[in-house]
Structure formats: C-alpha cells, structure tokens
Amino acid sequence: MPLRILGIESSCDDTGVAIVSSPRRILSNVVISQNSEHQYFNGIVPEIAARAHIENLNKATIAALQNSINIESIDAVAATCGPGLISGVIAGSMFAKALSSVLKKPFIAINHLEGHALTIRLTNNIQYPYLLLIMSGGHSQFIMVRGLGKYTILGQTLDDAIGETFDKVAKMLKLPFPGGVEIEKRALNGNPLKYSLPKPMIYKDSCNMSFSGLKTAIRLLIEKLNNSLDTTTVNDIAASFQYTIGVILKSKILSAIKLYEKKLEQVTMKSNKVVISGGVASNQYLRDILKSEVELKNYRFFFPPKQLCTDNAAMIAYAGLERFIKGITNDLNFQPRDKWSIEEV
Ligand code: KG4
Ligand code: ZN
C-alpha cells in the first residue's frame, strides 16, 4: 500500500493543502491565494493573512480530499511549523494538529525551507547530495543538501531576500501586488541596459549576497526621474533591475559551486547538480541565465515546475513523506516558530 501524507502550508499569504502518496505522486494540491485581500495594502498584512488562513484551511482541506481520497486513509499529517509569519504558522499547525489528533495519525512538523529544498526530489527524483539556491520572499540561501535533515548553509543574503527586493522595487514602480511576477512581465518589454545599477558584493569571493543597496539605487533613480513613471520607464527599470539580479546571481552561483566542491571533497562525495527553488525560481529569465551559467561548469541544472516553486503544500506533504519513511514524527506540543534555520531541523 502506498503511504499517503496530508500536508498543510500557511506560512505566508497562500493557504495550501495537498495529499502526496509514496513514492512521488501528488494526489491533490490546493492553493488558495490571498492576493485580493492584500492588494489594497500593496503588501502582506499578517493579521489579515491569519484570518484568511483560518477561513481557507477548511475549504482547502475539503477540496484536496474531494479530488483524491477518503480522509481515513491518510497515514500522517504534516504542517509547516516555521519559519514564517507566526500567526499564519500557528493557524495551519493548530489545524494540522487537530486533524492528526482526531484521525489518530502521527503529526510531522516541517520546516518551510526544507519543503522548498526537497521539492525537486518529488518532481525529478534526484538523489542527494546537491547544491540548492533557495530564492523566496523571506530567504535567499545557498545550501548544500547532503540528505534528509542534513543541510549546510554556504552563503546567504546579509539583508533583504531576493523576492522581497523584487516586491519592494515593484511597489516603488507602482506595480500591483504581488510584485515579482509583475516585474518579470514588464521586463519583457524593457531595455535591460538602460540603467546601470549597483551589484553589491559581486567581486567578493563568497556566496553571501546583499540587495538593499540595489533597492536604494532604484529609489534614488526614480527620484532623479522626478517620479515620472511612464510605461517605457517602468519597463526599462524592471528590465535593468532583473538583469542586475541576474548578473549578481550568475557570479554568486559560481562562488557557491567552488565552496560546494570544497565541502564535497571533505565528505568524500561527488555530485554536479544545482537546484533552484522558492517563488523567485519561477522567474523564466533567471532560470534561463542560471541554467547556461551552471551548464558551462558541467553541472546539471534542475528546477521544479512553476506552481511548485511558489508556496504550496505538496512540498510540505512530500517532506513529511520523507520524514515519515524514516520514522521521524513529532509530538502535538511541537512549538510553531517564526524563525527556524534549515540547519536546525
Ligand atoms: O516561496 P514563495 O512563494 O513564498 C515565500 O516563502 O516567501 O516566494 C514568494 C516570493 C515573492 O517575493 C514573489 O514576489 C516572488 O517570490 N516571485 C517572483 C516571481 N514569482 C514569485 N519573483 C520574480 N519573478 C517571478 N516570476
Ligand atoms: Zn516559500
């Protein structure tokens, strides 16, 4: 009999419920987005997000079950227990604990970043180890993934996350929320070389990154243009910004590969795989340029389908499945948390 895990995700502004069965099959994957609730504020309002999760969790669970199986045949319930907006994490994890308790099935606490880290094993069945670049709204990290629960951060942003930078620049350009995807659209019609923007830390031979200076440069550029944001200007700024992020990431991925190879040597492992994941990994421009850069180094490049790059519960259910197979479950008194390093899972 295949194992079936119900996963719950609520760490940001998407409510997700999914069922994944062993070895790697998504039976259902429901995501209820809250874009319309947050659009007016041009950003995520934690209290509104938590209330919406409470409303949507039940709906999403019913929809996920309708598309697939009877709730009694679930083997375990996995939920994001952090990191993220704490009110949303509490809503989802309490809901999951209640389900686990009523169904008398084990509860599994999942680190959201572990969900992003393992998605590629669900979709492409790739083997450990691999070098991972997580690019989301809250995190930007290069991670050596050696096995389930064995993660080493090789480098990360020292200030804003990449997704956060996309969102903040989009807001300055008066683009609708959520901003990342809008920037990508507008960049398609813009000139990427129109504005020369700073590339902080690009020459440092580490894979740490910094994006706040780039964000400030765009604010100053908009001020210099007297805030006259006509369509061409917005398209050109979007394209120049996305191009600059690309240049930074191309350089940083090479530094990360160097460090990864050193670390692999220390543990006498070999692997030439680079994986990207997280919301920003759904950006086609960044996928294309990172792919060519990585392939020049004779590495293979992997990315999940776009709907599994952005937040979803299939990745949480899958991380739960890997943990369940290894016999790892959690007590119902597991504390949800807003900060939780992937190295500490
Ligand atoms: O992983 P995710 O869905 O949620 C977090 O865990 O944060 O990532 C959301 C982030 C947002 O900042 C969003 O603007 C960004 O991913 N994003 C994109 C694109 N789609 C989503 N950024 C750039 N280009 C995109 N196509
Ligand atoms: Zn995420």
Side-chain angles (χ1 to χ4, degrees):
M1 260 301 266
L3 293 168
R4 287 157 171 167
I5 311 293
L6 185 141
I8 292 183
E9 161 59 35
S10 60
S11 65
C12 197
D13 60 335
D14 291 311
T15 315
V17 179
I19 298 163
V20 166
S21 86
S22 59
R24 275 173 301 279
R25 197 161 151 233
I26 300 176
L27 299 182
S28 61
N29 184 23
V30 177
V31 179
I32 304 182
S33 130
Q34 302 177 5
N35 288 346
S36 54
E37 277 94 332
H38 300 288
Q39 216 134 39
Y40 174 77
F41 302 95
N42 222 315
I44 299 162
V45 184
E47 158 127 15
I48 293 178
R51 287 174 191 273
H53 283 308
I54 290 168
E55 247 182 69
N56 294 340
L57 277 161
N58 208 29
K59 285 186 208 157
T61 307
I62 291 167
L65 288 164
Q66 259 170 6
N67 298 341
S68 56
I69 54 164
N70 187 308
I71 196 163
E72 303 289 337
S73 61
I74 296 291
D75 292 286
V77 182
T80 298
C81 284
L85 296 175
I86 192 63
S87 44
V89 174
I90 290 174
S93 59
M94 291 303 289
F95 186 86
K97 286 175 181 180
L99 267 183
S100 139
S101 161
V102 168
L103 295 171
K104 300 193 171 47
K105 296 291 160 76
F107 170 72
I108 309 170
I110 302 295
N111 177 302
H112 179 81
L113 299 171
E114 182 173 68
H116 281 305
L118 304 187
T119 311
I120 203 69
R121 287 173 48 78
L122 165 65
T123 56
N124 297 50
N125 190 18
I126 76 165
Q127 302 303 306
Y128 296 119
Y130 49 91
L131 171 62
L132 169 76
L133 167 58
I134 291 191
M135 307 187 273
S136 71
H139 295 84
S140 303
Q141 295 179 326
F142 288 100
I143 299 169
M144 175 174 176
V145 180
R146 283 171 293 128
L148 178 67
K150 295 181 181 161
Y151 312 111
T152 309
I153 299 172
L154 303 178
Q156 58 192 323
T157 178
L158 303 180
D159 39 57
D160 294 347
I162 306 176
E164 185 184 358
T165 313
F166 265 91
D167 294 339
K168 286 180 176 165
V169 169
K171 198 168 176 175
M172 290 185 230
L173 294 176
K174 307 209 166 20
L175 296 174
F177 173 86
V181 71
E182 282 299 317
I183 294 229
E184 182 177 15
K185 277 191 214 151
R186 301 298 292 263
L188 286 174
N189 299 313
N191 174 2
L193 302 177
K194 176 73 192 255
Y195 301 106
S196 171
L197 298 166
K199 301 163 188 80
M201 296 182 63
I202 195 166
Y203 298 113
K204 284 236 160 75
D205 197 22
S206 89
C207 49
N208 285 332
M209 301 165 279
S210 162
F211 297 100
S212 69
L214 172 57
K215 186 187 64 188
T216 307
I218 292 186
R219 184 173 54 75
L220 295 175
L221 170 65
I222 294 171
E223 277 171 25
K224 204 168 130 201
L225 296 168
N226 293 324
N227 291 308
S228 71
L229 292 172
D230 57 61
T231 304
T232 310
T233 309
V234 170
N235 293 350
D236 288 344
I237 296 178
S240 304
F241 163 72
Q242 188 178 255
Y243 167 82
T244 306
I245 293 278
V247 175
I248 297 171
L249 290 181
K250 275 201 299 190
S251 149
K252 291 297 165 185
I253 204 115
L254 296 183
S255 309
I257 287 177
K258 260 196 210 160
L259 189 54
Y260 173 65
E261 286 180 347
K262 257 195 213 158
K263 297 263 177 199
L264 276 180
E265 248 178 61
Q266 286 166 7
V267 289
T268 58
M269 279 178 152
K270 275 205 161 125
S271 147
N272 62 343
K273 285 169 274 187
V274 170
V275 174
I276 56 167
S277 95
V280 186
S282 62
N283 182 295
Q284 193 61 44
Y285 171 81
L286 295 178
R287 285 176 178 222
D288 292 344
I289 58 156
L290 286 173
K291 182 172 191 298
S292 10
E293 197 67 16
V294 159
E295 287 179 351
L296 279 177
K297 291 297 248 178
N298 289 323
Y299 269 61
R300 293 165 66 206
F301 187 65
F302 298 91
F303 42 80
K306 292 188 181 180
Q307 73 278 14
L308 295 180
C309 282
T310 45
D311 285 351
N312 65 88
M315 67 181 194
I316 303 304
Y318 180 73
L321 176 64
E322 284 213 20
R323 288 186 162 262
F324 190 67
I325 289 170
K326 292 235 162 174
I328 309 166
T329 60
N330 297 89
D331 286 342
L332 288 183
N333 61 10
F334 187 94
Q335 292 282 323
R337 48 205 71 181
D338 55 349
K339 292 195 171 52
W340 185 9
S341 166
I342 190 169
E343 287 185 336
E344 286 158 18
V345 295

